[in-house]
Amino acid sequence: MASMISTKTNLFRYASRSLFSHLLRNPTPTSSLLSPSLSRHLSHQPRQVEKQVYGNGSLMLHQRFLSSTDNHDKSPPPPNKPPSDSNSSNSDSDSGQGKESGGEQKQNSDYQKSLRGSPVAWLSFVFLILTGGGLVYYYDKEKKRHIEDIQNVSEAVKQGPSAGKAAIGGPFELTNHHGKRVTDKDFMGKWTLMYFGFTHCPDICPEELQKLVAAVDKIKEKSGIETVPVFISVDPERDTVEQVAEYVKEFHPKLIGLTGSPDEIKSVARAYRVYYMKTAEEDSDYLVDHSIVIYLMAPDMGFVKFFGKNNDVDSLADGVIKEIKPYIK
């Protein structure tokens, strides 16, 4: 391209010189093409005698240059080359790449917008909401069901069996805290509240016995019904008659303490479905794991109902009164 421009420039210079030389030699034919002042100025210049062929050849060369220049300007650019120079081609290329990248970004943006607004996206959102709502509903339902089960079990423990008669109770022979041998027949004709424990119990047994004797007084106060509180040891090795006597007098004067040999304690515990077991020993000091239940026995020493640890003094007293009143009527 640069060589072409240089060639055209040289041809233009040569043609210009030839044109001015021709005008100087022949001012008349070309004076109409010039301004009057320039035409007068050129007419006073001395003419140089040259061959007419040179002037005609210069004019023809000038015409050829002008014609080739016009044709070149009007001719279309080559199919494989852009019509501009290298800088313009680079800029066009960069602008083309920019337009292409811009087009891709616009296409991606349009695609994302179409996805956000498409039915598939809305269906996914709705499905997510329904799934989350279903999980929350299922969790709440299971939680309520679990709470109801716990409440039902607690109510069953609190109220005891509502129908039929459990095979709890039976004959026994033990020693009371006064050292006297007694049997189940000695408690007939009275409403009896029985609790199984041991004197070395650190906290549970004292709490349950305090609740038991307080309920006995409240039952007497509310209904006038006499009940007998009874404590039976499940630790025959340490709970001697003397030990039981010292223990029961700390709670209530009506509380009766019973103990016996290991076989006798095992027999009465089996009859009343009481669980007990010694725990790990350390220097002859041990604890006894056992059932925490208060049994209500009728005047014929038949089982009526049991009350669990979750009952307080008032609920225990009211429960006992509720069970006894039908028998009195």
Side-chain angles (χ1 to χ4, degrees):
M1 180 63 71
S3 62
M4 182 183 297
I5 293 173
S6 177
T7 302
K8 295 295 183 180
T9 304
N10 293 330
L11 290 175
F12 180 74
R13 288 176 182 174
Y14 181 74
S16 299
R17 290 191 193 124
S18 301
L19 178 60
F20 275 102
S21 297
H22 178 73
L23 291 175
L24 290 175
R25 288 194 302 270
N26 301 297
T28 303
T30 58
S31 59
S32 61
L33 301 174
L34 302 174
S35 63
S37 61
L38 182 58
S39 179
R40 286 195 301 271
H41 175 73
L42 292 176
S43 64
H44 288 87
Q45 295 295 329
R47 298 182 179 179
Q48 295 181 2
V49 179
E50 294 182 359
K51 293 182 180 179
Q52 187 70 23
V53 177
Y54 177 77
N56 294 333
S58 300
L59 182 60
M60 293 173 63
L61 181 62
H62 176 66
Q63 293 175 351
R64 184 185 303 172
F65 171 77
L66 293 176
S67 175
S68 63
T69 303
D70 294 338
N71 294 332
H72 178 71
D73 293 338
K74 294 179 180 179
S75 62
N80 295 330
K81 293 183 180 179
S84 59
D85 55 3
S86 60
N87 293 331
S88 63
S89 65
N90 291 333
S91 63
D92 292 341
S93 176
D94 294 339
S95 64
Q97 293 178 357
K99 291 179 180 179
E100 183 178 357
S101 62
E104 291 178 355
Q105 293 177 357
K106 184 177 180 181
Q107 184 178 3
N108 292 333
S109 177
D110 294 340
Y111 178 71
Q112 293 176 357
K113 290 181 179 179
S114 64
L115 282 180
R116 287 194 296 268
S118 63
V120 177
W122 280 107
L123 287 176
S124 300
F125 179 73
V126 172
F127 178 75
L128 178 62
I129 295 297
L130 293 177
T131 303
L135 290 175
V136 172
Y137 174 76
Y138 176 77
Y139 174 76
D140 291 340
K141 185 177 179 181
E142 289 297 319
K143 183 178 179 181
K144 291 179 180 178
R145 186 181 65 81
H146 184 64
I147 293 175
E148 290 177 357
D149 292 341
I150 294 176
Q151 291 177 349
N152 293 334
V153 172
S154 300
E155 189 68 20
V157 173
K158 186 182 295 185
Q159 298 297 332
S162 57
K165 189 173 182 180
I168 296 176
F172 61 84
E173 185 175 357
L174 298 171
T175 305
N176 65 12
H177 64 279
H178 298 294
K180 181 182 177 181
R181 298 291 291 179
V182 294
T183 65
D184 56 298
K185 293 182 175 59
D186 293 321
F187 296 95
M188 288 186 175
K190 306 171 184 176
W191 290 95
T192 307
L193 291 169
M194 303 176 65
Y195 176 79
F196 291 78
F198 64 107
T199 61
H200 290 78
C201 183
D203 47 13
I204 296 178
C205 291
E207 292 176 359
E208 292 299 300
L209 287 176
Q210 288 177 357
K211 180 173 67 177
L212 174 60
V213 296
V216 168
D217 291 338
K218 192 171 287 286
I219 293 169
K220 174 67 174 178
E221 179 184 349
K222 285 186 174 182
S223 63
I225 302 173
E226 292 282 350
T227 55
V228 179
V230 176
F231 166 76
I232 300 177
S233 174
V234 292
D235 185 14
E237 297 178 4
R238 292 181 298 185
D239 288 346
T240 62
V241 173
E242 294 77 16
Q243 179 68 25
V244 172
E246 291 293 329
Y247 187 72
V248 297
K249 73 179 183 180
E250 296 178 1
F251 296 96
H252 199 279
K254 290 185 177 181
L255 180 62
I256 299 175
L258 300 178
T259 186
S261 65
D263 292 337
E264 291 173 343
I265 298 299
K266 184 183 296 185
S267 177
V268 68
R270 185 182 298 113
Y272 284 84
R273 305 294 189 268
V274 174
Y275 161 80
Y276 71 98
M277 184 179 67
K278 292 169 59 176
T279 60
E281 299 184 13
E282 183 177 354
D283 298 334
S284 299
D285 189 12
Y286 58 88
L287 297 177
V288 180
D289 187 18
H290 62 89
S291 303
I292 306 173
V293 179
I294 297 175
Y295 298 94
L296 175 61
M297 310 301 292
D300 60 354
M301 288 302 290
F303 171 75
V304 178
K305 191 174 182 179
F306 67 85
F307 299 89
K309 185 177 181 297
N310 54 348
N311 289 273
D312 57 10
V313 175
D314 291 331
S315 63
L316 176 59
D318 294 339
V320 171
I321 294 173
K322 181 180 178 181
E323 296 296 328
I324 293 177
K325 279 185 177 181
Y327 286 87
I328 296 176
K329 291 180 181 180

